[in-house]
Amino acid sequence: MSLGMSIEAMLKRASLVLSESGSDSPSLDAAVLLCHALEKPRSYLLTWPEKELTTEQATQFDALMARRIAGEPVAYILGEREFWSLPLNVAPSTLIPRPDTERLVELALDKAMLIDGDLLDLGTGTGAIALALASELPKRQLQGVDFQQEAVELANSNADKLSIRNVRFAQGSWFAPIDHGHKFAIIVSNPPYIDENDPHLSQGDVRFEPSSALVAENNGLADIETITAAAPSYLLDGGWLLFEHGFEQGGAVRRIMEHHGFTDVTTEKDYGNNDRVTLGKWHP
C-alpha cells in the first residue's frame, strides 16, 4: 500500500483505512506508526511531506498497519506508552496505562503532602502509578504489588529504564507480599472493576488486554471490596485509600468505603468529567 507514495498521501490513506476499521484516533495512529517505521520524530512528517519511503520502510509500515487494522492496540504494537511523561514499556500481560489514570496520581500526590510515610500501589501492572508517584516523591518509598509475575518483571524493567530507585515491586495477591506490621500513608489501586457481562469487553483495545486485569465479580466491585476490607490493617492513622473505578461506580465505592469505616469519602472526576476516583481517610 505504501510504496511510491509521499508521506502526506500515505498518512491520508492510512488514516482513512484506520477510520474504516474502527480506530478512535485514526490520524494519530497513522502518524505514530509511520514515525516508528521511519525511526523519525513527528516533526519529520511535517517537514518532509513529499518524501517517499524506501522499500524496507514501506514494508514495515504496512506490517504495522495490518496489526492495527486487526484491532491490536498501538501501545502493544510499539511496546511502549507514555504515562505522566514517563516512557513505559508495555506488554499484553498488563493493561495499557491510560490518561484518565493520571487523575489518580494527582489525587494521591495531594494527599501525600498531608501525611508522611510510604506509598503502596496494588495491581501495579506496568508500574505506571507507582513510578509516577516515585518520580514526584524521590524521598519517599514506594511499593507495587501485582498477581502476575510477568507484570512484576515488566514494572521492574521500567524502574531500571527510568533509573527510579525508590520503588520496589513484589508478586502476590493484593496485600499478601506486604511485610507484617508495615503501614502506609497512601494506598492506591486501579483494580479490575468491569462486570464480566459488560459489552465494552468485546470492543476496541480492551479485546487485547488481559481479562484478569479488567474483570471482577459482583458487578465489578469484588476486588474493591476485598482491598477496602483489608486496607485498615496497612494504613497509618490519617492515611488515605484511593481507587480508580468505572464511571458509574462512584456511589457504590463510596458506600463500600464508608461501610468499612473510612471518613471524608469523596468521588472525583476524570478529565472527561466522569466519576473516576474515590478516596477516603482512615482513623483507627
Side-chain angles (χ1 to χ4, degrees):
M1 180 184 79
S2 306
L3 192 59
M5 297 178 67
S6 69
I7 285 176
E8 183 177 25
M10 194 182 312
L11 283 173
K12 288 181 180 178
R13 182 170 178 180
S15 297
L16 178 61
V17 171
L18 290 175
S19 178
E20 292 173 345
S21 71
S23 170
D24 293 331
S25 53
S27 297
L28 177 61
D29 291 355
V32 169
L33 295 176
L34 183 54
C35 287
H36 189 71
L38 297 174
E39 298 182 353
K40 299 289 186 181
R42 289 282 296 278
S43 59
Y44 184 87
L45 305 183
L46 301 174
T47 306
W48 303 102
E50 76 285 356
K51 286 271 189 179
E52 294 184 4
L53 271 67
T54 65
T55 301
E56 181 180 354
Q57 290 170 335
T59 300
Q60 183 176 5
F61 181 59
D62 286 346
L64 296 174
M65 280 288 294
R67 293 171 66 182
R68 184 58 184 142
I69 290 167
E72 187 174 352
V74 171
Y76 288 161
I77 295 173
L78 303 185
E80 186 174 278
R81 179 66 171 261
E82 185 175 287
F83 180 84
W84 201 260
S85 300
L86 302 174
L88 300 173
N89 294 332
V90 299
S93 60
T94 63
L95 291 184
I96 299 167
R98 288 172 168 79
D100 284 338
T101 302
E102 293 189 358
R103 185 69 180 125
L104 178 62
V105 174
E106 289 177 349
L107 292 165
L109 288 171
D110 288 345
K111 298 309 178 186
M113 297 300 102
L114 303 177
I115 178 171
D116 291 330
D118 298 346
L119 291 83
L120 173 64
D121 174 25
L122 296 175
T124 197
T126 61
I129 297 169
L131 291 166
L133 292 169
S135 71
E136 298 288 348
L137 302 168
K139 295 183 178 180
R140 308 280 281 271
Q141 292 299 309
L142 278 291
Q143 184 163 351
V145 172
D146 202 283
F147 187 71
Q148 302 295 335
Q149 183 60 35
E150 297 93 332
V152 173
E153 292 170 0
L154 182 62
N156 276 317
S157 72
N158 278 322
D160 290 340
K161 172 184 177 180
L162 298 167
S163 298
I164 295 176
R165 306 302 181 200
N166 58 322
V167 61
R168 65 187 185 94
F169 298 100
Q171 188 274 329
S173 178
W174 304 131
F175 294 98
I178 305 303
D179 293 338
H180 181 70
H182 192 167
K183 292 183 181 289
F184 297 86
I186 306 289
I187 298 175
V188 298
S189 183
N190 179 14
Y193 57 73
I194 301 177
D195 182 78
E196 61 184 352
N197 297 315
D198 192 311
H200 294 96
L201 291 170
S202 61
Q203 303 170 8
D205 288 357
V206 296
R207 292 174 295 163
F208 289 80
E209 296 181 274
S211 62
S212 61
L214 292 165
V215 176
E217 296 179 352
N218 189 21
N219 299 313
L221 297 169
D223 290 315
I224 290 174
E225 290 190 76
T226 297
I227 293 169
T228 304
S233 298
Y234 298 91
L235 278 169
L236 295 169
D237 183 4
W240 289 84
L241 174 64
L242 302 91
F243 286 110
E244 177 175 335
H245 53 71
F247 70 95
E248 295 179 326
Q249 294 175 322
V253 178
R254 288 195 301 274
R255 288 190 290 274
I256 290 170
M257 295 185 75
E258 289 167 351
H259 173 75
H260 286 282
F262 284 84
T263 63
D264 301 332
V265 177
T266 59
T267 298
E268 300 289 340
K269 305 285 188 181
D270 62 20
Y271 307 129
N273 203 38
N274 297 307
D275 285 354
R276 187 61 61 192
V277 177
T278 294
L279 60 155
K281 190 176 186 179
W282 176 250
H283 286 295

